[in-house]
Structures are given as C-alpha cells and as structure tokens.
C-alpha cells in the first residue's frame, strides 16, 4: 500500500509560480509511476502530468504548454509539480496518484492510490 500527502497549494496571482509536493509512504514508491491530476468545480478529474518510476519518462496534458514540470526524488519519496505562468483556469484541487507500472498514465482509472488533494487558486 502507498499513502500520499500533497502540499504546496494555496493562493497565487496569475502569472506566478507554485511548486506542489507529494510525499509518499511505502516501500514501493521508487518503482511506482506517479501522476498529477486536478479537478475544478463541476468538472471531472483531469490529467495534468505523469512521471515514470525512474524519472526519465514524463507525460503532460496538452494544456500545460510547457508551463509545468513534473519531477521526482525517490530518495525523499517525493514527487513535485512545478507550475509557472499560472492562469485562473488552473484553479482546482490538485491530486497526486500512484500506480504499479503499466497502463495509460493519462487516465485516472489507471491509478490505485490517491492523495487527499491540495487546493490551488489562481487569481486574475
């Protein structure tokens, strides 16, 4: 079992930057691909970014447009989402998720473990 806790959310002005962190417990973290998803009010959870177990392979939603970077530090059991040039439409609850290797990492149904989420609010 993997337990995930997000941090780093909060209020930020449009154009600003924010770094989210997801700290995991469990001995299998280093072999688990990780993803970030977000959910705005009234919408379904959507894919943001994912990263393979080694950190070499990364995947991004098209709306990121080079603004976000996902990374991981397996020694610290932590995955990061660096967000730059934030826009009001980036507002939502951001969740990190973990899955055993395999599957489509852009689909929320792929993931077995989820954090509780951290709120990101971008003001205009």
């Amino acid at each position: 079992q993997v337990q995930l806790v997000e941090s780093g959310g909060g209020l930020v002005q449009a154009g600003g930057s924010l770094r989210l962190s997801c700290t995991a417990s469990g001995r299998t973290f280093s072999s688990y691909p990780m993803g970030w998803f977000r959910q705005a009010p009234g919408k379904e959870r959507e894919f943001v970014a994912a990263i393979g177990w080694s950190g070499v392979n990364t995947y991004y939603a098209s709306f990121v447009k080079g603004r976000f970077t996902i990374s991981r530090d397996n020694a610290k059991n932590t995955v990061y989402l660096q967000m730059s040039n934030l826009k009001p439409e980036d507002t939502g609850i951001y969740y990190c998720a973990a899955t055993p290797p395999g599957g489509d990492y852009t689909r929320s149904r792929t993931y077995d473990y989820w954090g509780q989420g951290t709120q990101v609010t971008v003001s205009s």
Side-chain angles (χ1 to χ4, degrees):
Q1 186 177 1
V2 177
Q3 295 183 350
L4 310 173
V5 179
E6 301 96 337
S7 63
L11 299 172
V12 64
Q13 294 184 10
S17 299
L18 198 65
R19 188 177 76 163
L20 306 182
S21 299
C22 174
T23 300
S25 63
R27 294 182 176 88
T28 61
F29 174 81
S30 63
S31 64
Y32 273 32
M34 301 286 296
W36 284 98
F37 292 77
R38 70 186 187 188
Q39 187 168 20
K43 293 186 176 181
E44 295 296 316
R45 196 167 298 183
E46 65 179 351
F47 170 75
V48 177
I51 188 167
W53 66 270
S54 69
V56 173
N57 296 322
T58 57
Y59 313 84
Y60 294 98
S62 60
F63 61 75
V64 171
K65 303 294 185 182
R67 299 180 298 125
F68 294 2
T69 301
I70 188 171
S71 62
R72 68 189 299 161
D73 186 341
N74 288 343
K76 297 181 179 180
N77 287 348
T78 301
V79 173
Y80 305 96
L81 184 67
Q82 178 67 50
M83 304 184 293
S84 300
N85 191 25
L86 284 162
K87 305 175 181 179
E89 52 263 43
D90 294 319
T91 294
I93 303 175
Y94 283 69
Y95 301 87
C96 66
T99 179
D104 184 350
Y105 300 140
T106 70
R107 298 174 59 193
S108 61
R109 293 170 60 183
T110 298
Y111 295 82
D112 296 324
Y113 307 103
W114 293 84
Q116 293 181 329
T118 184
Q119 177 70 45
V120 172
T121 302
V122 183
S123 61
S124 61

